[in-house]
Amino acid sequence: MTHVLAGELAARGHDVTLFAGPGTDVDLPVRLLVPAGFEPSAAALADRNAPSAGWVAEHHAYLGLMLDLARTGAAEYDVVHNNSLHHLPVAMASAVGVPMLTTLHTPPLPLVESAISLDPLGSTFAAVSAFTAEAWAHAVPAGVVHNGIDLTRWYAGDGGGPAVWSGRLVPEKAPHAAMDACRRAGVPLVLVGPAHDRDYFRTELEPRLGDGIEYAGHLNHAELGQLLRRASVAVVTPAWDEPYGLVASEAMACGTPVAGYVRGALPEVVGALGGVLAPADDVDALAAAVLAAARLDRRAVRAHAEATCSLTRMVDDYERCYHELLELDDEAA
């Protein structure tokens, strides 16, 4: 999301600086800020309460960024858009000297809640769905800017092929439920994604493979798009309350209807036109949803994606947020 947002803002003529980790796509038309490295001493790590090296590196990166912004932010930037999940940008927002917009991509996080409680007006907040905004409502009010995808990259296809499940192969995504539902529906299924949890893959997924269900591995965007354009239906089975559900948007952009669970923001993303949803964890109802979704008009599904999931719409919304922040900042001055 941050990648396509930065690219589109630059294409619209904005001067964009991106703060991101090593390995980030340097072909983006933006200025890249790479975090300063830091390794604590052996003496510091010998402390029995020392955090992990990864935690320290992330903390150092964000602390360095925010101190730099506090020193030079007002001279170099008009707006800071925080898409991180870290607490320091929120905690230090008031020190930056320019307005900050923080997008809430997750359910509430303890350290971010702590930062908000100490300076609730330091940042303005947007959430990726109304569901996520409601989840944070006890801590901070947030507007809603739904995520968007590049519809020229995810384009419509004719369908007619097997069902597809895409995402990380982990218990909270519950691909095993998609396997069970498609087997009951008599619909072949292709699983796509990285197998991060090897124990889960070995015990829950491998025994379910075969008889029309296959694992295609971890595909790149172009390969996944090709598969989705051929798919008859995309099955989305979160076992937790997803804050948005990008895989549903990608499928609908390909004209492929979604069969999934009524959970988290998925009803908001799919709506009445993008697919058929079943009660959470009801595999029999999901099997029926797979068959019903496959009968939907693919042109109407694509049109729904164009109206609700486009990158253009997302960046339009964020530009409005930036202008509102600048107007408020001018009034305060």
Side-chain angles (χ1 to χ4, degrees), residues 120-211:
L121 301 180
S123 177
T124 298
F125 293 85
V128 296
S129 64
F131 177 85
T132 301
E134 179 61 27
W136 281 89
H138 66 281
V140 70
V144 176
V145 178
H146 288 112
N147 284 335
I149 58 175
D150 185 349
L151 296 179
T152 64
R153 192 175 191 178
W154 303 93
Y155 54 91
D158 295 332
V164 170
W165 185 101
S166 61
R168 292 180 296 111
L169 299 167
V170 292
E172 61 268 26
K173 301 284 189 179
H176 66 274
M179 300 169 87
D180 291 345
C182 285
R183 179 157 283 131
R184 294 181 195 185
V187 173
L189 172 70
V190 178
L191 295 176
V192 177
H196 287 318
D197 189 326
R198 296 304 304 178
D199 288 340
Y200 172 70
F201 186 87
R202 186 180 65 255
T203 60
E204 296 295 335
L205 303 186
E206 279 188 343
R208 288 176 163 89
L209 292 174
D211 191 23

Side-chain angles (χ1 to χ4, degrees), residues 169-280:
L169 299 167
V170 292
E172 61 268 26
K173 301 284 189 179
H176 66 274
M179 300 169 87
D180 291 345
C182 285
R183 179 157 283 131
R184 294 181 195 185
V187 173
L189 172 70
V190 178
L191 295 176
V192 177
H196 287 318
D197 189 326
R198 296 304 304 178
D199 288 340
Y200 172 70
F201 186 87
R202 186 180 65 255
T203 60
E204 296 295 335
L205 303 186
E206 279 188 343
R208 288 176 163 89
L209 292 174
D211 191 23
I213 298 179
E214 63 177 278
Y215 173 51
H218 186 21
L219 305 183
N220 62 34
H221 281 163
E223 293 166 334
L224 176 58
Q226 187 177 40
L227 186 63
L228 284 171
R229 287 188 288 276
R230 295 199 311 264
S232 59
V233 62
V235 190
V236 184
T237 52
W240 71 300
D241 290 331
E242 291 268 13
Y244 181 76
L246 204 57
V247 295
S249 293
E250 292 167 352
M252 293 187 300
C254 294
T256 300
V258 172
Y261 284 147
V262 177
R263 177 167 270 149
L266 198 57
E268 194 176 332
V269 174
V270 174
L273 301 175
V276 178
L277 301 182

